[in-house]
Amino acid sequence: MKKLVVIFLILIIFTTGCSVKKVEELTDSEKFAKEYNVSKNNPFVYSSYKDIVTILESGTGLILLANSDDEGSIEAVGLINSEAKKLSIKEINYYNLDTLKNKEKGKYKRLKMELKEDISDFDFEIPLLVAVKDGKIINYSNCFSKEEELSSEYLTKKRLKSIREKYSEILSYKENSKNE
């Protein structure tokens, strides 16, 4: 009889108190959409520090260094995402630079030096969109890295058009001027 009571109690516990929850895995684009409030149909892929350094040393690709707590990064991501859709860009490697800046200063300095090798007048500010080909930076922009660049007085229609064109140029891997 005791066995039946124990079995009955175990069945009650399992059927009422223990439910198996299915953990839903989000894709990178879904996570990025939540983080930056853009559509789920975006080309951003979370990349590791090692991935970013590999691209900068010998790879080819697009890199976005940004931080979702930064107003300039949020503004830039919206424009970059829009231009990437127009150009059917499939992948932009995203790295939140803040994770290094505050926690791993040695890696932060190394990344800064990797970028500085190809950009002589480089101002290491986020958001930073970089086009790399065979380990060489061929184009970049750090629009919206300064607070005044977010003001309505600065962001005229003409200037926004210019920024969109610059992002489009970078996303197209054009070898034009290296800075804005």
Side-chain angles (χ1 to χ4, degrees):
M1 183 72 168
K2 286 183 181 181
K3 287 183 182 180
L4 282 174
V5 172
V6 171
I7 291 172
F8 182 71
L9 286 174
I10 291 173
L11 285 173
I12 290 174
I13 290 171
F14 277 114
T15 58
T16 59
C18 297
S19 61
V20 178
K21 291 184 179 179
K22 186 177 179 182
V23 177
E24 190 175 315
E25 290 290 320
L26 296 176
T27 65
D28 280 358
S29 60
E30 290 170 330
K31 284 189 257 182
F32 194 85
K34 283 185 171 190
E35 188 174 348
Y36 280 94
N37 198 26
V38 294
S39 74
K40 291 180 183 177
N41 183 19
N42 67 67
F44 298 97
V45 176
Y46 286 85
S47 300
S48 69
Y49 168 79
K50 186 177 178 181
D51 295 336
I52 299 300
V53 170
T54 300
I55 293 168
L56 289 169
E57 288 178 343
S58 60
T60 297
L62 295 164
I63 298 171
L64 174 65
L65 301 175
N67 177 357
S68 60
D69 293 332
D70 174 65
E71 195 176 327
S73 293
I74 293 167
E75 185 75 31
V77 163
L79 293 173
I80 292 166
N81 189 47
S82 173
E83 293 305 306
K85 281 182 184 179
K86 289 179 192 174
L87 297 166
S88 300
I89 301 298
K90 302 226 184 302
E91 184 175 298
I92 298 173
N93 297 278
Y94 166 72
Y95 188 76
N96 184 335
L97 194 60
D98 226 33
T99 58
L100 284 183
K101 192 174 185 179
N102 295 328
K103 298 175 186 160
E104 300 190 51
K105 296 196 185 291
K107 287 182 177 180
Y108 178 80
K109 287 179 184 177
R110 179 177 176 206
L111 186 57
K112 187 174 179 178
M113 292 308 297
E114 287 288 339
L115 291 161
K116 199 170 188 158
E117 282 181 19
D118 289 333
I119 307 172
S120 60
D121 61 343
F122 181 61
D123 186 13
F124 197 50
E125 298 284 336
I126 60 168
L128 178 63
L129 178 65
V130 181
V132 182
K133 188 171 185 174
D134 300 324
K136 293 284 181 200
I137 294 173
I138 58 171
N139 209 338
Y140 79 97
S141 175
N142 57 359
C143 292
F144 303 113
S145 61
K146 295 175 180 40
E147 195 171 314
E148 63 269 10
E149 293 176 341
L150 295 168
S151 70
S152 58
E153 295 84 29
Y154 180 85
L155 286 177
T156 62
K157 286 183 180 181
K158 184 177 179 180
R159 189 157 286 134
L160 268 172
K161 182 181 180 202
S162 173
I163 291 168
R164 285 181 181 278
E165 288 171 354
K166 179 66 177 181
Y167 284 153
S168 181
E169 177 184 303
I170 294 167
L171 294 170
S172 299
Y173 290 83
K174 292 182 181 174
E175 293 191 40
N176 290 337
S177 64
K178 287 193 174 188
N179 60 2
E180 181 138 311

